Amino acid sequence: MAGSGRTSAEFDLAAAQQALAAQPFSRLVQARITEFGGGAATLEIDIREELQQQHGFVHGGVLSYAADNTLTFAAATALGAAIVTGGFSIQYVRPARGRTLRARAQVVQAGRRQAVCRCELTVLDEEGAESVCAVAQGTAMPLNGPAGGGGEG
Amino acid sequence: MAGSGRTSAEFDLAAAQQALAAQPFSRLVQARITEFGGGAATLEIDIREELQQQHGFVHGGVLSYAADNTLTFAAATALGAAIVTGGFSIQYVRPARGRTLRARAQVVQAGRRQAVCRCELTVLDEEGAESVCAVAQGTAMPLNGPAGGGGEG
Amino acid sequence: MAGSGRTSAEFDLAAAQQALAAQPFSRLVQARITEFGGGAATLEIDIREELQQQHGFVHGGVLSYAADNTLTFAAATALGAAIVTGGFSIQYVRPARGRTLRARAQVVQAGRRQAVCRCELTVLDEEGAESVCAVAQGTAMPLNGPAGGGGEG
Amino acid sequence: MAGSGRTSAEFDLAAAQQALAAQPFSRLVQARITEFGGGAATLEIDIREELQQQHGFVHGGVLSYAADNTLTFAAATALGAAIVTGGFSIQYVRPARGRTLRARAQVVQAGRRQAVCRCELTVLDEEGAESVCAVAQGTAMPLNGPAGGGGEG
């Protein structure tokens, strides 16, 4: 994650947006972070042709990117910026087609060793109607051992 | 997946490469498929700046894209092209840095209802030395019900 | 699951309790089902010494049993009794100690091919206070192909 | 896990068997550990009626117990006895029926923060023929922060 030298307290939406903008792959995908704080984070991506698979649906790899990143940002609201993603699990529930992909993750529990987060992925259609396309859960861990043990800066 | 109208028997490496090329997101990531058949598939991606996160490592979202797609291609060697990815689980084991990202998946078991596959992700450095950066496992399912029940083509 | 010859409509709490009672391992663990219907199922287990690991906490294997079974019962509310569990993923968030273990699962989405469910596991202490000890998500599939294709009975 | 006061070096097969015997739930299930060391662990369980679900197959909860425990023992070969299981993911590939259930796990990578392990579950029939019934992967973490930071013992 960010390793921005900021403490958890200073790591707010603006800082999260900066951290996201510092990820070349997130710029390639054109993801934006629209919520960050209080144990939750939301990422949005405008759906366009280059994010699709061969049938016109959003590629599973885009959904899994969104799950990975949103789970990690949610964890950062609790553990601070100096974290690494441990892994995650994702289940696709419906082909993703629409105007916007939205991933919202929440911390289930954050301790010294790791934060466990869940994520719901939805697509919004032209009228703004939202339907779930995937669910995920995963973990992130402090970069330098249990939280409080410093930061990578 | 492909829905190419081909039967499983005709779905060979060349057809798999065509299916991959038909995925706009795989073109964006610039993935290539180098092995397809006999229950296994291998995907490779040249590592470059636009695939990274903010610390110079390959973004977790690229690794999860590779896992998702390679698991599904491996499943297609058993179930044919008309399949959907059910979901997967990925654990990151080491920051991914190097010249090439390689994902290799194998079918553990394929039945009528689904194929279960495992995937190992490695990075190759400049000297060609290979080290594991993530492991994944997941499922894919026939698009139109149990295998043999037709194809989407 | 049950394969009780009942249709989905007839598969109610009483039938689910019968299905649970027909599982020798669930009798060994002494699980009871307290909610079944409308896309959700709840399983409870009284915590006792024989369910523990060596430090006095509920063994992870008991939590994973509860996740597996509750996810599958929740899926059965949508798909009927003739289903098989596809797999699941579980994250432990806190050592489980208390009076009662409760697992509650809900269907996220159920289609012809599978149902995707989520599960929250909690422990209730002597005063009835409830705290999350694990979260899980998983899938179940119709035993004989896409739902509607008959039953195992 | 064990918290036996032993260092990783002293934590051998005999100590692992003691740790297993100290788990009441493992005694209830009657699991035995037959291999421990060098990054791998094997657990075996004689299949009998009380471990089944209602169709005469081994209950998924027994398979998930075996995955959970074997992954954690494999991790203990690398991290020592003072660890906690982080979570895991399991995919069932075939109904489990036979004489013996065997779970074998191996460390994929062990660092300061966690060990990532994979597990293969098989059943052995009366003639000793072995077939895979599930695959799992998961993590365990040092109980008191990154490995080397003491022990619970």
Side-chain angles (χ1 to χ4, degrees):
Chain A
M1 270 286 294
S4 60
R6 294 164 189 272
T7 66
S8 173
E10 298 169 282
F11 195 43
D12 58 9
L13 177 58
Q17 287 168 333
Q18 263 188 289
L20 186 73
Q23 300 180 343
F25 188 61
S26 292
R27 292 198 305 269
L28 186 68
V29 171
Q30 294 176 32
R32 59 181 176 271
I33 187 160
T34 59
E35 178 200 15
F36 180 86
T42 300
L43 209 81
E44 290 186 358
I45 300 169
D46 289 328
I47 296 175
R48 51 199 197 281
E49 207 262 344
E50 67 181 357
L51 302 184
Q52 295 172 357
Q53 33 85 296
Q54 66 273 47
H55 297 302
F57 301 115
V58 179
H59 197 289
V62 177
L63 303 182
S64 61
Y65 153 80
D68 170 285
N69 226 14
T70 313
L71 288 165
T72 307
F73 272 99
T77 68
L79 300 181
I83 57 178
V84 289
T85 316
F88 69 97
S89 158
I90 186 167
Q91 291 297 325
Y92 303 118
V93 305
R94 196 182 278 119
R97 176 145 52 181
R99 188 174 47 80
T100 307
L101 174 67
R102 179 181 288 162
R104 186 168 198 273
Q106 283 182 282
V107 174
V108 175
Q109 200 271 345
R112 288 180 321 117
R113 259 185 305 269
Q114 68 172 10
V116 173
C117 303
R118 293 184 127 179
C119 183
E120 193 171 73
L121 293 103
T122 59
V123 278
L124 289 90
D125 68 16
E126 298 304 328
E127 284 74 40
E130 197 168 359
S131 55
V132 180
C133 58
V135 287
Q137 60 180 36
T139 63
M141 294 169 292
L143 203 48
N144 293 315
E152 154 167 274
Chain B
M1 271 288 294
S4 60
R6 293 166 189 272
T7 67
S8 172
E10 299 169 280
F11 195 43
D12 58 9
L13 177 57
Q17 287 169 332
Q18 262 188 288
L20 187 72
Q23 299 181 342
F25 188 61
S26 292
R27 292 199 304 270
L28 186 68
V29 170
Q30 294 176 30
R32 57 181 178 273
I33 186 160
T34 60
E35 178 201 15
F36 181 88
T42 300
L43 209 82
E44 290 186 358
I45 300 168
D46 290 328
I47 296 174
R48 53 198 195 281
E49 207 262 345
E50 67 180 358
L51 302 183
Q52 295 171 359
Q53 33 85 293
Q54 67 273 46
H55 298 301
F57 300 116
V58 180
H59 197 289
V62 177
L63 304 181
S64 61
Y65 154 79
D68 171 286
N69 227 13
T70 313
L71 289 165
T72 307
F73 272 99
T77 68
L79 300 181
I83 57 178
V84 289
T85 316
F88 69 96
S89 158
I90 186 166
Q91 291 296 325
Y92 304 118
V93 305
R94 198 181 278 118
R97 178 145 53 182
R99 188 174 46 82
T100 306
L101 173 67
R102 178 180 289 163
R104 185 168 199 273
Q106 283 183 281
V107 173
V108 175
Q109 200 270 345
R112 288 180 321 118
R113 258 185 305 269
Q114 69 171 11
V116 173
C117 302
R118 293 185 127 178
C119 183
E120 194 172 71
L121 293 104
T122 60
V123 279
L124 289 90
D125 68 16
E126 298 303 329
E127 284 72 42
E130 196 168 359
S131 56
V132 180
C133 59
V135 289
Q137 61 181 36
T139 63
M141 295 169 292
L143 203 48
N144 292 315
E152 156 167 89
Chain C
M1 270 285 294
S4 60
R6 293 164 189 272
T7 66
S8 173
E10 299 169 282
F11 196 43
D12 57 10
L13 177 57
Q17 287 169 331
Q18 262 189 290
L20 186 73
Q23 299 181 341
F25 189 61
S26 293
R27 293 198 304 269
L28 186 67
V29 171
Q30 294 176 32
R32 59 181 175 272
I33 186 159
T34 60
E35 178 200 15
F36 180 87
T42 301
L43 210 81
E44 291 186 357
I45 300 168
D46 289 327
I47 297 175
R48 52 198 195 280
E49 207 263 343
E50 67 181 358
L51 302 184
Q52 294 172 357
Q53 33 84 295
Q54 66 274 47
H55 297 302
F57 301 115
V58 180
H59 197 288
V62 177
L63 303 182
S64 60
Y65 153 79
D68 171 285
N69 226 14
T70 314
L71 288 164
T72 307
F73 271 100
T77 68
L79 300 181
I83 57 177
V84 288
T85 315
F88 69 97
S89 158
I90 186 166
Q91 291 297 325
Y92 303 118
V93 304
R94 196 182 279 118
R97 177 147 51 182
R99 187 173 47 80
T100 306
L101 173 67
R102 179 181 289 163
R104 186 168 199 274
Q106 283 182 283
V107 175
V108 175
Q109 200 270 344
R112 288 180 321 118
R113 259 185 304 268
Q114 68 172 11
V116 174
C117 304
R118 295 184 125 178
C119 183
E120 193 171 72
L121 293 104
T122 60
V123 278
L124 289 91
D125 68 16
E126 298 304 328
E127 283 72 42
E130 197 168 359
S131 55
V132 180
C133 58
V135 288
Q137 61 181 36
T139 63
M141 294 169 292
L143 203 47
N144 293 315
E152 157 165 272
Chain D
M1 271 286 295
S4 59
R6 293 164 187 274
T7 66
S8 172
E10 300 169 282
F11 195 43
D12 58 9
L13 177 58
Q17 287 169 331
Q18 261 188 290
L20 187 72
Q23 299 180 342
F25 188 61
S26 293
R27 294 199 303 271
L28 186 68
V29 171
Q30 294 176 32
R32 57 181 178 271
I33 187 159
T34 59
E35 178 200 15
F36 181 86
T42 300
L43 209 82
E44 290 186 359
I45 300 168
D46 290 327
I47 296 174
R48 53 199 193 281
E49 207 264 345
E50 67 181 356
L51 303 183
Q52 295 171 359
Q53 33 85 294
Q54 66 273 47
H55 298 301
F57 300 115
V58 180
H59 197 289
V62 177
L63 303 182
S64 61
Y65 154 80
D68 171 286
N69 226 13
T70 313
L71 288 164
T72 307
F73 272 99
T77 68
L79 300 181
I83 57 178
V84 289
T85 315
F88 69 97
S89 159
I90 186 166
Q91 291 295 326
Y92 304 118
V93 305
R94 197 181 278 118
R97 177 146 51 181
R99 187 174 46 82
T100 307
L101 173 68
R102 178 180 289 163
R104 185 168 199 273
Q106 282 182 283
V107 173
V108 175
Q109 200 269 346
R112 289 180 320 117
R113 258 185 305 270
Q114 70 171 10
V116 174
C117 303
R118 293 185 128 179
C119 183
E120 193 171 72
L121 293 105
T122 60
V123 278
L124 289 90
D125 68 17
E126 298 303 329
E127 284 73 41
E130 197 168 358
S131 55
V132 180
C133 59
V135 288
Q137 61 180 35
T139 63
M141 295 169 291
L143 203 48
N144 293 316
E152 156 167 274

